[in-house]
Amino acid sequence: PVGSIWYYLNIWDKIGIRTCVSHSYRVPTFNDLYWTPGGNPELIPETSWTEEIGIEGSLQWKGGRINYSGTVYNRNVRDMITWMPSSSYWSPMNVAEVWSRGVEHRLKIHQAISKWKFTLLSNIDYVRSTSEKASSPGDVSVGKQLIYVPAWFGGVTATVQWRDYFVTYSHQYTDLRFTTRDHLEFLPAYSIANLSIGWSWETAMNGA
C-alpha cells in the first residue's frame, strides 16, 4: 500500500503550517533490470517513509507581495535503487538503508511602481542523504553523503521590467559532489550566471 496524509493549519491571516506523512513504493524499471551493459536483474523494489512540516505565508501591500515557504523533511528509504559507477560502466544496486533529511526555502518578492515591475525569486536547499547500513562487508559508504548528491544548492533570479522591456539576472550554485563512496574524490562546487534582456511580445499585444 502507498499513500499520504496532509494537514494544513491556518495560524494567522495568510500564514499557515502544513504537515505530511507519506509511504511510497517503487519497482525497478526495465532499464534498471536489463540495460546492456549494466542492468541488474537481481534488484528488488524500494520502499520509503517521508515526514515533513513547513510554514508558508504571504504578505501584501500596495503594488507589492511577498510569498515565502520553508520545509523541513525526513525520508527513510529501504533498498534504494541507485546507479553506481563500476570498472567501465554504471550499474544499479540496492542501497540497504538511506536516510535523507533537509531544509528547503522558497521566497518570491514582487513590487510594481508606476510602469516599473521588480521581481526577486530565491531558493536555498540543504540535503543530507547518507547510507545507514552496509550493503557488503567493508562498505566504506556508511554514514557518508551519497555520491553525486550535493549538500547545498540554490539560486536567485532578479527581474526588472519597464513597460514591455525587461532585464533578468539569475545565479545558481551547486555544492561539491562526491564521486566515490569513500569521499576521496569529488567534483568541485560551481556557479552558473545568466543575464538576459528582452521584450515581452505578449504584454505589448495585450496593451494594444
Side-chain angles (χ1 to χ4, degrees):
V2 297
S4 63
I5 299 176
W6 288 83
Y7 180 73
Y8 180 85
L9 175 65
N10 189 54
I11 58 177
W12 181 73
D13 195 15
K14 295 182 180 180
I15 299 177
I17 295 177
R18 49 180 170 75
T19 60
C20 176
V21 176
S22 62
H23 180 259
S24 61
Y25 177 87
R26 185 169 79 91
V27 298
T29 66
F30 283 115
N31 280 345
D32 294 331
L33 295 170
Y34 307 117
W35 185 266
T36 303
N40 182 2
E42 304 300 322
L43 289 174
I44 60 177
E46 69 176 41
T47 59
S48 67
W49 280 97
T50 303
E51 307 86 29
E52 65 178 60
I53 183 170
I55 185 170
E56 58 185 30
S58 62
L59 177 65
Q60 286 184 285
W61 62 89
K62 184 178 180 180
R65 181 184 182 92
I66 291 180
N67 294 91
Y68 173 80
S69 66
T71 303
V72 178
Y73 70 90
N74 178 80
R75 181 178 298 116
N76 298 95
V77 187
R78 294 184 60 88
D79 302 312
M80 181 177 180
I81 300 171
T82 304
W83 283 74
M84 298 285 188
S86 59
S87 57
S88 57
Y89 53 82
W90 289 59
S91 182
M93 62 177 290
N94 288 111
V95 181
E97 292 183 11
V98 172
W99 180 22
S100 180
R101 60 277 191 198
V103 182
E104 301 175 344
H105 296 277
R106 301 291 184 271
L107 175 68
K108 179 179 181 180
I109 303 176
H110 179 78
Q111 178 67 54
I113 302 175
S114 185
K115 297 180 180 180
W116 292 85
K117 294 180 181 179
F118 304 89
T119 304
L120 178 68
L121 305 173
S122 69
N123 66 287
I124 302 174
D125 293 355
Y126 172 74
V127 178
R128 179 70 174 160
S129 189
T130 56
S131 173
E132 296 298 307
K133 185 177 180 180
S135 300
S136 60
D139 190 347
V140 296
S141 67
V142 177
K144 292 184 173 63
Q145 183 85 345
L146 297 183
I147 63 173
Y148 293 99
V149 178
W152 289 95
F153 56 94
V156 61
T157 300
T159 300
V160 177
Q161 181 176 344
W162 178 74
R163 292 187 175 180
D164 306 324
Y165 304 91
F166 64 89
V167 177
T168 298
Y169 174 79
S170 65
H171 196 101
Q172 302 292 324
Y173 171 81
T174 301
D175 200 11
L176 66 84
R177 291 148 298 153
F178 297 102
T179 58
T180 57
R181 289 188 290 170
D182 57 11
H183 285 192
L184 294 179
E185 298 180 14
F186 61 89
L187 296 173
Y190 68 92
S191 296
I192 298 177
N194 287 287
L195 178 65
S196 59
I197 301 174
W199 173 57
S200 177
W201 172 263
E202 181 179 359
T203 303
M205 291 299 293
N206 290 337

